[in-house]
Amino acid sequence: MSGTGPYGAVMATWTEFADGAPELAELAERRLVATKLMMLATLRRDGFPRISPMEPVVVDGRLSLHHGRLWLAMMPGSTKSRDLQRDGRFALHTATVDTQVTEGDVKMWGTATPLSDPATLARFSDDIFESTGYRFEVGQFDAFDVDLLGASSVQVRGETMVVRTWRPGAGVRVDERTG
């Protein structure tokens, strides 16, 4: 695993997430690629949550990873960027539009660390261009490296709601609720 985060919790890269919870990671990627939208929750200066829409970086129909890691890009100085620079804790949601959740949804949480290396940001800029068709040069966007502390999904199959919860090193717990 990639290290420890707040309160001594074990953190994981996206690749470690995919290795430890392949069905959950595949659902997250499928929903992010299909909708090209995610909701990012950050902590405002006053401690209250802020929810902001974001576009995942998708290249060749896949979520763009960098050495097995998920990175986030956003406008420089945006409120969500300032939030993450001040306190890196976040949650991501795969922007569900289906009230029946038949396609499923995924929530992930962890910590984000600012990226500042110009060569790294230049490579990320190329992926953003391929994903969006817009060229953002280094300095025209803020970028963050993501470490995951956990993830969960909800999928409704007929009368059964299937909830999967994953934490690094602890595996996946599955709860089925019929009602």
Side-chain angles (χ1 to χ4, degrees):
M1 296 294 135
S2 66
T4 57
Y7 315 108
V10 177
M11 297 187 303
T13 66
W14 183 274
T15 299
E16 292 167 337
F17 168 45
D19 289 345
E23 189 174 337
L24 193 55
E26 187 276 327
L27 175 60
E29 181 173 8
R30 188 172 69 242
R31 298 308 309 141
L32 291 170
V33 169
T35 63
K36 293 190 174 55
L37 180 65
M38 57 188 172
M39 302 305 288
L40 174 69
T42 58
L43 295 172
R44 297 175 357 166
R45 183 176 303 281
D46 61 10
F48 283 94
R50 180 189 320 272
I51 298 174
S52 306
M54 287 190 61
E55 295 178 40
V57 178
V58 175
V59 175
D60 295 328
R62 299 289 316 261
L63 193 58
S64 177
L65 299 178
H66 300 270
H67 305 290
R69 304 184 67 84
L70 178 64
W71 292 351
L72 304 176
M74 56 201 70
M75 293 185 332
S78 64
T79 53
K80 59 190 161 209
S81 178
R82 289 193 314 267
D83 287 348
L84 288 175
Q85 289 171 14
R86 186 180 54 261
D87 185 329
R89 291 177 293 173
F90 73 90
L92 277 176
H93 186 267
T94 59
T96 305
V97 295
D98 171 17
T99 59
Q100 300 303 308
V101 200
T102 54
E103 294 294 321
D105 75 0
V106 178
K107 294 164 260 326
M108 297 161 272
W109 55 93
T111 61
T113 305
L115 293 168
S116 59
D117 175 62
T120 299
L121 292 170
R123 286 192 309 274
F124 194 26
S125 176
D126 292 340
D127 283 352
I128 294 169
F129 175 73
E130 192 166 334
S131 179
T132 66
Y134 297 102
R135 173 63 66 185
F136 294 96
E137 298 300 333
V138 174
Q140 293 180 327
F141 66 98
D142 288 340
F144 295 86
D145 179 30
V146 168
D147 282 301
L148 296 174
L149 293 166
S152 66
S153 70
V154 172
Q155 242 179 329
V156 176
R157 297 181 181 145
E159 296 294 315
T160 304
M161 180 173 63
V162 180
V163 179
R164 288 182 177 77
T165 306
W166 166 82
R167 292 193 187 273
V172 177
R173 187 182 78 234
V174 178
D175 294 312
E176 293 189 8
R177 301 171 189 166
T178 303

